[in-house]
Amino acid sequence: LLPLPSFSQCHGHSGSHASTGGSALLGYIGIDTIIEQMRKKTMKTGFDFNIMVVGQSHGLGKSTLVNTLFKSQVSRRSAGWSRDEKIPKTVEIKSVSHVIEEGGVKMKLTVVDTPGFGDQINNDNCWEPISKYINEQYEKFLKEEVNITRKKRIPDTRVHCCLYFISPTGHSLRQLDLEFMKRLSHSVNIIPVIAKADTMTIEERQEFKQRVRKELEMSGIEFYPQKEFDDDMEDKSDNDKIRETMPFAVVGSDKEYQVNGKRVLGRKTAWGIVEVENSNHCEFAQLRDFLIRSHLQDLKEVTHNIHYETYRAKRLNENGGLHPISSNDTQESNL
């Protein structure tokens, strides 16, 4: 029999092994099954994902886009809201939750809508109710966390991602857009999108995107994925590509049309069909892949490890240390 590797070799303590991250194994142990174990656990418990949509209420297609992303009627507008509904006097926060299941994986999706945002004559401070809502969810989570008897699984209502809809004006960003993103980029993951991108030509779209990126940079606004959270070179190169594409110019539609014998989601115009999932027509597919297929877990982690941590540290400092927060503690100080 071959002698077993010494303890120091197993743990990569010797110089040569440390650099290669440990010694060669003499046989199969089964460490790799951790991935399958995690998958099974997630499939049993499911997970939460909370997405907020912000932008002028009417005509930007916010709800349609969210419905298109999740291929189901998840946003409230479609649940029979009337077109002639009055614009709210102030920003309201409306959330609706659904459980979506695919391939045995359950996701509890909450869509948080913000009707009334940017629709008033005077839009000063209209970001405040949104900021307050985001912080209230952190507070709720924190209260559960510092309880003496904690729930095994704390319900997660924290906003993992805020889709910020920019009007396809082709000009500059509005002061309100800059103000909102500046105020909230440190407490939530903001993903800017240009709505109804089919109202611009491809050239206009490219120019507008470049202008938006430049304006955000000049205002010192960092959107998700932030450069400082790239873990390694691979992350950095993937995220750099995404950052160069943003803000995604998107078109949403929950109507299907027949194109070349295939059924596609699209918008019918006088000159043809704008196909939502065709990357030659718009960047909806890139947005969906980024949001759901490549960065969903990261959005949740950045929310927990960065934005929530920042809130938590601030709260516990104010609170004079780590002790259970009494329910009548006021939150006014941090909102």
Side-chain angles (χ1 to χ4, degrees):
L1 278 175
L2 283 165
L4 283 170
S6 70
F7 178 81
S8 65
Q9 283 177 308
C10 288
H11 287 260
H13 283 202
S14 66
S16 60
H17 287 116
S19 60
T20 59
S23 62
L25 299 172
L26 298 180
Y28 180 67
I29 303 175
I31 301 168
D32 57 353
T33 62
I34 183 76
I35 304 298
E36 183 54 25
Q37 294 167 44
M38 286 159 82
R39 195 183 74 87
K40 275 189 179 152
K41 203 161 188 150
T42 306
M43 285 177 82
K44 259 194 210 122
T45 54
F47 65 94
D48 301 298
F49 187 57
N50 311 316
I51 187 168
M52 178 184 258
V53 288
V54 181
Q56 278 174 304
S57 287
H58 290 289
L60 281 187
K62 297 196 300 294
S63 305
T64 308
L65 185 89
V66 174
N67 290 337
T68 318
L69 275 171
F70 296 101
K71 293 196 190 295
S72 48
Q73 302 290 311
V74 290
S75 195
R76 270 177 183 269
R77 284 258 175 238
S78 318
W81 283 16
S82 59
R83 271 272 171 225
D84 52 342
E85 219 179 352
K86 295 275 182 291
I87 289 174
K89 291 274 187 290
T90 56
V91 179
E92 292 176 5
I93 308 277
K94 299 189 170 188
S95 74
V96 61
S97 299
H98 302 263
V99 173
I100 299 179
E101 191 167 338
E102 186 180 48
V105 178
K106 284 198 244 356
M107 170 168 89
K108 183 185 176 199
L109 172 71
T110 301
V111 180
V112 184
D113 198 2
T114 54
F117 176 83
D119 295 328
Q120 317 305 321
I121 292 164
N122 176 0
N123 284 309
D124 288 355
N125 301 342
C126 71
W127 46 268
E128 275 179 355
I130 296 171
S131 176
K132 183 169 183 283
Y133 176 86
I134 289 167
N135 283 334
E136 277 168 357
Q137 308 321 305
Y138 290 147
E139 183 71 17
K140 225 187 251 182
F141 198 90
L142 178 61
K143 282 213 170 106
E144 286 292 346
E145 219 181 33
V146 297
N147 264 344
I148 309 261
T149 51
R150 304 204 276 194
K151 290 183 177 141
K152 190 169 169 221
R153 189 162 174 261
I154 301 174
D156 191 1
T157 59
R158 298 169 299 180
V159 178
H160 299 122
C161 156
C162 170
L163 283 183
Y164 189 82
F165 285 70
I166 297 165
S167 302
T169 59
H171 306 303
S172 300
L173 285 173
R174 297 173 306 168
Q175 198 47 47
L176 174 62
D177 299 329
L178 292 168
E179 186 76 6
F180 177 89
M181 289 191 256
K182 190 175 271 181
R183 300 267 181 180
L184 274 88
S185 61
H186 295 295
S187 54
V188 69
N189 294 318
I190 292 180
I191 297 176
V193 295
I194 297 166
K196 298 220 160 160
D198 52 333
T199 57
M200 297 190 273
T201 66
I202 302 287
E203 289 77 20
E204 285 169 342
R205 195 190 289 176
Q206 282 313 108
E207 274 172 33
F208 187 43
K209 280 169 65 132
Q210 277 168 355
R211 187 171 302 144
V212 167
R213 277 202 298 273
K214 203 171 184 61
E215 286 181 15
L216 291 174
E217 199 179 317
M218 284 169 70
S219 303
I221 295 165
E222 284 236 333
F223 48 80
Y224 178 86
Q226 297 90 327
K227 288 193 179 85
E228 71 256 38
F229 306 150
D230 293 345
D231 284 338
D232 50 41
M233 288 315 287
E234 189 190 352
D235 258 13
K236 186 184 179 317
S237 85
D238 289 350
N239 287 342
D240 277 345
K241 282 193 200 93
I242 289 162
R243 287 187 278 259
E244 281 159 25
T245 313
M246 289 170 88
F248 296 104
V250 295
V251 178
S253 169
D254 31 24
K255 290 197 175 64
E256 282 195 332
Y257 295 96
Q258 197 83 22
V259 176
N260 302 331
K262 276 204 312 231
R263 301 206 56 75
V264 298
L265 286 170
R267 272 164 55 86
K268 200 177 169 86
T269 66
W271 49 88
I273 307 252
V274 179
E275 297 169 40
V276 167
E277 296 181 88
N278 182 337
S279 54
N280 295 321
H281 292 200
C282 78
E283 290 165 343
F284 170 82
Q286 284 102 307
L287 171 66
R288 184 205 46 217
D289 290 356
F290 165 58
L291 201 59
I292 301 168
R293 300 179 188 182
S294 68
H295 281 65
L296 192 145
Q297 181 58 26
D298 190 63
L299 281 161
K300 286 167 65 71
E301 282 172 15
V302 171
T303 300
H304 183 73
N305 298 332
I306 312 286
H307 300 310
Y308 169 66
E309 259 327 292
T310 307
Y311 179 88
R312 182 176 172 278
K314 183 168 169 285
R315 267 312 259 137
L316 295 174
N317 270 336
E318 283 170 7
N319 220 43
L322 186 68
H323 54 77
I325 295 178
S326 64
S327 53
N328 56 9
D329 251 1
T330 131
Q331 298 163 33
E332 295 309 312
S333 54
N334 12 277
L335 302 179

